[in-house]
Structure formats: structure tokens, C-alpha cells
Amino acid sequence: MEDWWQATFPQGRQSVIITDTQGYPVQIAYGEKGTGKPLILLHGMGTWSYNWRHSIAPLSKYCRVISFDAKGYGFSEKPLARREDNGHQIIELARIIQELCDEPPVIVAESLGGLIALSLAQEYPELVGRLVVVNVPIFAEKLPHWAMWVLAQTPLEIIGIIDSLRLAYLFAPLFREVMAIERRRVLFDPSLLTQEDIYWITYPFIEIPGTLVKVAEELQIAAREIEHWQSQKPNLLSKIQNKLSAIQCPTLILWGAQDSWFPVTHGEKLHKSIPNAKLQILPNCCHDAAAGSSKDVNTAIVEFLRDTNFL
């Protein structure tokens, strides 16, 4: 099968070295397409740049589109010897922007990526030109999927053994089938998910050691955050919620009308909390809007950028 990076980006897969929150250099995989003002695509939990496959080319007609794999995901480095700091993604996103952009970019971010982007807009407002967030777990009360809960409850040592034995590789057909079933459940039209999609969505888990461990680690951080939020202990989630009014950049909130993970009421609440925000409900759309409602998402982004004089 043709390499997705080579088929999607003129220069294929590139890499940039940033310093993580613990002072270590890490390699981040990314691709870029188009010219003009920068637009960064930020994926959600357990996915990678491929999740934006339907948006890269259409948006590159208007902007210099940059899609990257967060540390631990996709084709980016997976440092297994050390545990991650809570909130590390926010600082790492800031450093990626500083390395790749010479002006504040548009940030388009889905699911967990949206939560990271909201925090970035609070902590580093000078790095955000426009903000688009899609189906964000800003008011999440639990992990939305059973597999997430299982990974969050399993000791990382056990996940590490499973990963080191390459069980996902050994049972690749079964792994792909289970993943396909679960991914179709977050699409309004399950038939949109092709066999090629399944191959690439599962590729890092099957072919790149360390992926399962790092995703599990991020899920455990998320589970602790929700637990601390529920018990009113100090947590990053509450900090982001309490500072939403500080976000001053033009913001577009997109929400799937049929999102069963995070209901539309969460989008409405978020809209009321950000001063300069617009809310748009996507019809016939579940949680995976980037894959399931890409045309609506892309159209909404371009219209928003025109309305706010970015284009």
C-alpha cells in the first residue's frame, strides 16, 4: 500500500525536534501542504494525523496546512523510559508552533486535541490566531468508551509486556476488525470507513512498538483528571474550565448533533463561556466529525476564517 505521508504531502513525512516538559529532545512527525498563513491540525486521543485525511487537501487551497502527530502517537517519538507530566501536550504544542510557524496559526483541534488547544489559547494567547475546536471533552464526567476505561485501569507494566510481545502485530486481523467495529460506532454513516482507513488507523498500534503504552498512559492521566475533578481535588480540567472567559481569539465551536460521547449541551455551555465564540451544530454527525462530516467541517472552517478576516 502506498505510503500515506508520501501520497498526502509534497515532501512526505518530515520531523522536527522539540524539547519536552522534562527537558528531553523528542522527534515530532509532521507533514505540510499548501502556502500562505499557517493552519495546524491537532488530532484527538489514540489517533494521529491520518484522522485529518479528508481536510488536508481542501484546506491547503487556502492555508499552509501542518498536520503533526503528538508525542507518543502515530509516527512521533515514544519515550518509554519516563512517565509524562500532566499537561505536557500543551507546552509541547506551543513549542511545535514556535518551531514551525512564523506567525500565530489557525489551530483546528478535535476531541482531546480541542482541550489542549483551549488551554494553549489561555496560557499562550500570542501563539493562536484563530481557534476551531470540535467535540471537546471540556465537561467530560467519564471516559466515553469501554476500551479507554480498560486501558486506564490496567497497570502500565502489563501494557508494556503486551506491547513488547507485539500481540497487536501477531493478531493484526483481529485487532483491525475490533478497531473497525468501534470506529464505525462514532460515525453517523459507518460505510464511510474503508479497509484502507482501517489499515492506516491501526498501523501505529500494529507496526510501531510503544504506541499502546503511550496511549494507555495518556488515558490514565485523563482518568485521574476526571477523578480529581469529581472529588474537587486540584486538577487541570477545572483550571481550563475556570479560565474559558480569558480566551480572546476568534473561536469556532463545531459539535456533532449525534455525538454520543459528549452531548451538544456541552458545546452550548462552552459557547456561553468564551466571549468571542461561534457555535455551529453539525447535522448527521457523531463524535468523529473529521472523518464522518469532513465536508461540513471544512466548509465551516473556511467560512469562519473569511468572516474573521484571516483569509
Side-chain angles (χ1 to χ4, degrees):
M1 191 172 292
E2 186 179 11
D3 180 85
W4 178 78
W5 294 94
Q6 292 293 335
T8 304
F9 302 102
Q11 298 181 61
R13 173 162 54 94
Q14 302 180 73
S15 64
V16 62
I17 304 293
I18 64 164
T19 303
D20 69 10
T21 55
Q22 299 179 36
Y24 292 93
V26 292
Q27 186 177 70
I28 301 297
Y30 76 97
E32 64 174 86
K33 184 180 179 71
T35 60
K37 295 184 177 180
L39 182 152
I40 285 187
L41 296 172
L42 183 55
H43 62 77
M45 176 73 75
T47 63
W48 57 287
S49 291
Y50 186 77
N51 218 55
W52 291 109
R53 59 196 177 276
H54 300 307
S55 294
I56 293 164
L59 294 179
S60 71
K61 297 175 183 177
Y62 305 93
C63 297
R64 174 192 169 214
V65 173
I66 303 166
S67 186
F68 75 92
D69 296 349
K71 183 181 76 176
Y73 293 86
F75 288 72
S76 286
E77 189 173 341
K78 297 160 181 59
L80 300 178
R82 55 187 185 273
R83 301 278 72 92
E84 300 296 349
D85 296 324
N86 191 12
H88 69 95
Q89 305 103 319
I90 301 159
I91 294 173
E92 288 159 6
L93 174 58
R95 291 173 180 170
I96 289 167
I97 292 172
Q98 290 165 344
E99 286 291 329
L100 297 180
C101 302
D102 55 7
E103 62 180 293
V106 180
I107 298 179
V108 179
E110 186 172 43
S111 198
L112 178 66
L115 189 64
I116 296 164
L118 288 172
S119 182
L120 182 87
Q122 295 168 346
E123 303 300 327
Y124 302 89
E126 72 281 2
L127 295 181
V128 186
R130 303 288 186 274
L131 180 60
V132 182
V133 293
V134 189
N135 297 338
V136 194
I138 179 67
F139 302 113
E141 298 177 358
K142 61 180 181 179
L143 293 176
H145 191 272
W146 65 267
M148 292 181 177
W149 186 88
V150 169
L151 286 174
Q153 300 301 315
T154 305
L156 287 179
E157 293 77 12
I158 295 176
I159 302 292
I161 293 171
I162 293 171
D163 207 342
S164 65
L165 292 174
R166 303 294 304 280
L167 293 185
Y169 179 82
L170 293 173
F171 298 96
L174 177 61
F175 185 88
R176 289 193 182 104
E177 183 59 30
V178 171
M179 184 71 84
I181 291 169
E182 298 307 322
R183 293 294 298 214
R184 289 190 174 105
R185 287 178 176 171
V186 291
L187 292 172
F188 185 82
D189 180 1
S191 68
L192 291 174
L193 196 71
T194 67
Q195 287 303 120
E196 182 178 2
D197 291 335
I198 296 164
Y199 174 85
W200 284 114
I201 287 168
T202 59
Y203 186 95
F205 292 96
I206 292 172
E207 300 289 347
I208 306 177
T211 300
L212 187 60
V213 175
K214 298 310 286 186
V215 170
E217 185 178 3
E218 297 294 350
L219 284 166
Q220 294 186 8
I221 291 173
R224 283 197 300 272
E225 276 292 298
I226 294 172
E227 181 183 332
H228 289 172
W229 174 75
Q230 290 174 333
S231 59
Q232 298 184 337
K233 294 179 181 178
N235 65 89
L236 183 59
L237 190 58
S238 290
K239 182 180 177 182
I240 298 172
Q241 291 172 354
N242 294 336
K243 294 178 66 177
L244 289 171
S245 61
I247 297 175
Q248 297 299 315
C249 64
T251 302
L252 173 63
I253 302 164
L254 299 176
W255 218 279
Q258 285 80 27
D259 188 346
S260 59
W261 284 15
F262 311 116
V264 170
T265 53
H266 288 190
E268 294 167 344
K269 186 177 178 181
L270 179 61
H271 177 226
K272 293 177 182 177
S273 302
I274 300 177
N276 196 15
K278 173 188 175 183
L279 172 65
Q280 184 170 334
I281 307 299
L282 303 173
N284 301 328
C285 178
C286 295
H287 183 69
D288 191 353
S293 298
S294 57
K295 290 183 179 178
D296 289 343
V297 168
N298 297 338
T299 298
I301 292 169
V302 173
E303 289 178 353
F304 168 69
L305 296 182
R306 283 176 172 155
D307 291 344
T308 57
N309 300 315
F310 191 86
L311 296 181

